[in-house]
Amino acid sequence: MPLRPHAAGSSRGAALAVLSTGTLMIILDGTIVNVALPSIRRDLGFSESSLAWVVNAYLIAFAGLLLLAGRLGDLFGRRRILVTGLAAFTVASLLCGFADSAGLLITARFVQGAAGAMVSAVSLGMVIALYPDARGRARAMGVYSFVQSAGGVLGLLVGGILTQALNWHWIFFVNLPIGSAAALLSLRLLPDDRPAAVREPRESRESRKPSEPRAGSARSGVDAPGAALVTAALMLGVYTIVGTTDRGWTSPATAGLAALSALLLAGFLIRQTKAAEPLMPLRIFRSRIVSGANVVLALMVAGGFGFQFMTSLYLQQVLGYDPVRIGLALVPTGAMIGVMSLLLSARLGARFGQRAVLLPSLLLFAGGFLILAKAPSAHASYPADILPAILVFGVGFGLAMPSLMTLGMSEATPSDSGLLSGVFNTAQQIGGALGLSVLAALAAARTDRKLDAGHSVPAALTSGYHLAFVVAADLLVLGAAVAAVLLRPPAPDGSKGSTHGGTQDGADRTPEDNSLSAPASSPARNRSQDRDQGQGQDQGQGQDRPAAAPTGRTARV
């Protein structure tokens, strides 16, 4: 059962604000910890190698459980998964704040990652359900993408302030009021979206014996072997990627772990072709727009994640900035992302199409890296050498991310929006982890070669960062090329009668027009159509209108 958009206006806006707040907390926590790592190491006695697990434990759980959490939201209710994740994240934050040993902190961080995956996996799908109309959805995607990007920049600034003004414990305690309020408001503002098979009338519940299975239970839809395979594959894959910092990319251990992760993933895909109720129906990838958007997203974040990480290292290790100054230096990026995503992205997408906005945005994003690739190793001026690139980054990302979100979720239906949200977030996490590891390895190798050749430390570091910036720009250009090929609008279809020259690859279709979650003739889809027709009588939505009728409110690809 989808989130019904009957709570229009301020109520729908309040629901979006709650979802954005929960997402902001998750994103902010992913970066705020990095600033406090030196203090955590000193207080809890971490070694240099074990300190990385404060970050890695979170990443492994987060990336590994996104897909499963998204599907569980479709099966058992996205609000239920969201509130459970918010509550678990808040409790885990409390444990992190009170941690007095390395083992307790790492364990609590793993729980944080798992809970964060539950929140992130379903939030995007719930936003999609709140805004079924293309124009409203484009505006909501702008808000959601701004929250995601601003959280990363804000985390550096808040982490530096809390660590210096108080201590590292408060970077976790700050989540307690945010998480508690978001969980309570979610129960109040977000409608119960559990499928009918999960909700059981009181009469049936009281008359059923405890040993009897619940009629129509959604448990039959949980593909347990598939869930185990994909979770193990993703967790092992992320563990392999983050471990390359110590083992290197060409070591036998890395090759063996990567091969095992690939085998598990292959086993999962085979399982999905044979399972009666697959965890991830492979037909969702038949859509060229959805598949292409996820590929482009992975390439974009593979290069884009290097912006914050590599730029921060350059500012700290070459120019001598402290954490608070680094955060302030990156604030203009968040400001530009806000202007682009909140004010312009929806308008430009509606006028020119999402693909037409995406392509130049990716190239602009790449241009920002090329500007940084010319930054000097000494006496760099922030206004002349750094600020132009930071502003360009904000414009490029602020326009590209809402477009990708709109395209990646363009064919989401009420029964699979959580799954598509999980796939989208998984592509983002895997692409980011892989890209960041590659960029860091390339930068470190170039720096070592320059040091061996007798260059100064600042010059060697700058040379390494320059190489990383150029490779990141190449990844973004490659993403633009892939988008140009895979995200092409289809040839006009006269039978559709569209005034826009054919269908728009799903970006202008309502959930009723899509068939990703079930074949057109399947019982599941027939039941969905019958339910939608009944709702149309109550809500006056006019759902008997032909699906292809243009309305002027469609989002163009």
Side-chain angles (χ1 to χ4, degrees):
M1 175 180 170
L3 283 173
R4 296 180 183 178
H6 59 75
S10 60
S11 297
R12 193 165 65 165
L16 176 61
V18 170
L19 292 170
S20 299
T21 300
T23 300
L24 176 63
M25 179 180 67
I26 304 302
I27 299 298
L28 186 142
D29 193 82
T31 56
I32 197 173
V33 175
N34 295 331
V35 180
L37 287 177
S39 300
I40 293 174
R41 178 188 178 188
R42 182 180 62 251
D43 289 354
L44 298 185
F46 277 95
S47 65
E48 186 67 33
S49 59
S50 63
L51 183 64
W53 280 99
V54 177
V55 176
N56 293 345
Y58 181 95
L59 290 177
I60 290 171
F62 186 83
L65 291 171
L66 279 169
L67 193 60
L68 176 60
R71 189 54 173 163
L72 290 178
D74 291 334
L75 295 174
F76 296 103
R78 288 175 284 276
R79 190 185 73 168
R80 173 186 287 185
I81 298 298
L82 175 76
V83 173
T84 301
L86 289 170
F89 193 91
T90 303
V91 172
S93 298
L94 183 65
L95 293 176
C96 287
F98 283 120
D100 56 0
S101 67
L104 177 57
L105 180 60
I106 290 174
T107 302
R109 286 286 289 166
F110 186 89
V111 177
Q112 266 194 322
M118 298 173 71
V119 176
S120 296
V122 299
S123 293
L124 182 56
M126 297 179 82
V127 172
I128 293 297
L130 276 171
Y131 292 88
D133 59 296
R135 184 169 298 176
R137 180 176 295 183
R139 289 195 296 266
M141 290 298 98
V143 173
Y144 194 80
S145 64
F146 168 68
V147 168
Q148 280 198 320
S149 56
V153 176
L154 187 62
L156 292 175
L157 182 60
V158 173
I161 293 174
L162 290 177
T163 302
Q164 292 186 9
L166 299 171
N167 55 58
W168 65 266
H169 300 274
W170 284 93
I171 67 172
F172 298 111
F173 290 147
V174 73
N175 293 328
L176 302 183
I178 301 175
S180 301
L184 293 174
L185 290 174
S186 295
L187 290 172
R188 179 177 180 83
L189 296 175
L190 301 176
D192 185 358
D193 63 343
R194 289 175 296 169
V198 176
R199 290 178 285 114
E200 184 178 22
R202 174 181 293 181
E203 295 78 8
S204 301
R205 185 169 60 250
E206 292 176 349
S207 62
R208 177 173 52 84
K209 297 179 180 180
S211 59
E212 291 180 356
R214 185 167 51 188
S217 174
R219 289 175 184 167
S220 61
V222 179
D223 176 20
L229 285 169
V230 72
T231 302
L234 292 174
M235 284 189 174
L236 184 59
V238 176
Y239 172 76
T240 304
I241 293 170
V242 300
T244 57
T245 304
D246 299 322
R247 295 186 296 266
W249 283 95
T250 58
S251 68
T254 298
L257 290 172
L260 180 58
S261 176
L263 286 175
L264 289 170
L265 185 59
F268 167 72
L269 296 176
I270 293 173
R271 167 70 186 175
Q272 298 313 285
T273 64
K274 300 180 181 300
E277 296 287 346
L279 182 74
M280 184 181 73
L282 299 182
R283 59 180 166 268
I284 67 173
F285 297 110
R286 293 175 186 168
S287 167
R288 177 166 47 84
I289 296 299
V290 172
S291 299
N294 280 279
V295 172
V296 174
L297 173 69
L299 290 170
M300 186 184 81
V301 297
F305 270 29
F307 155 66
Q308 184 171 301
F309 183 76
M310 292 296 172
T311 305
S312 297
L313 287 178
Y314 170 75
L315 294 174
Q316 181 182 39
Q317 298 187 13
V318 177
L319 303 185
Y321 283 29
D322 60 34
V324 175
R325 193 177 178 190
I326 292 173
L328 291 173
L330 297 179
V331 164
T333 300
M336 290 306 300
I337 291 174
V339 172
M340 295 298 110
S341 60
L342 297 178
L343 301 180
L344 293 179
S345 63
R347 296 178 182 178
L348 293 175
R351 175 159 186 165
F352 300 106
Q354 300 297 343
R355 177 177 177 269
V357 174
L358 177 63
L359 294 180
S361 301
L362 291 173
L363 296 177
L364 194 62
F365 203 171
F369 278 110
L370 295 179
I371 294 174
L372 277 182
K374 297 182 179 180
S377 60
H379 309 297
S381 168
Y382 176 79
D385 300 315
I386 310 301
L387 183 59
I390 285 177
L391 294 176
V392 170
F393 282 135
V395 175
F397 188 89
L399 293 176
M401 195 61 179
S403 295
L404 271 178
M405 283 187 174
T406 301
L407 293 169
M409 297 295 294
S410 60
E411 301 207 18
T413 68
S415 62
D416 60 22
S417 63
L419 174 61
L420 285 178
S421 175
V423 170
F424 191 86
N425 281 282
T426 299
Q428 183 174 355
Q429 292 301 314
I430 298 297
L434 185 60
L436 188 56
S437 296
V438 171
L439 294 177
L442 291 173
R446 166 72 71 86
T447 299
D448 290 342
R449 288 196 300 271
K450 291 295 183 179
L451 289 173
D452 293 340
H455 291 75
S456 66
V457 172
L461 287 170
T462 302
S463 179
Y465 298 144
H466 283 176
L467 175 61
F469 293 146
V470 171
V471 173
D474 291 340
L475 289 172
L476 288 163
V477 172
L478 178 59
V482 172
V485 174
L486 294 184
L487 302 183
R488 296 191 316 272
D493 185 352
S495 64
K496 295 289 184 180
S498 171
T499 61
H500 293 302
T503 63
Q504 301 298 332
D505 282 342
D508 62 340
R509 289 200 292 260
T510 62
E512 291 79 12
D513 301 324
N514 299 317
S515 57
L516 292 181
S517 54
S521 60
S522 69
R525 182 159 179 80
N526 292 336
R527 287 194 301 269
S528 175
Q529 292 174 341
D530 293 341
R531 182 174 65 251
D532 291 342
Q533 290 173 359
Q535 292 176 355
Q537 295 174 358
D538 298 333
Q539 299 176 8
Q541 296 287 332
Q543 291 168 330
D544 57 343
R545 186 180 60 198
T551 64
R553 295 172 58 86
T554 59
R556 300 173 56 194
V557 173

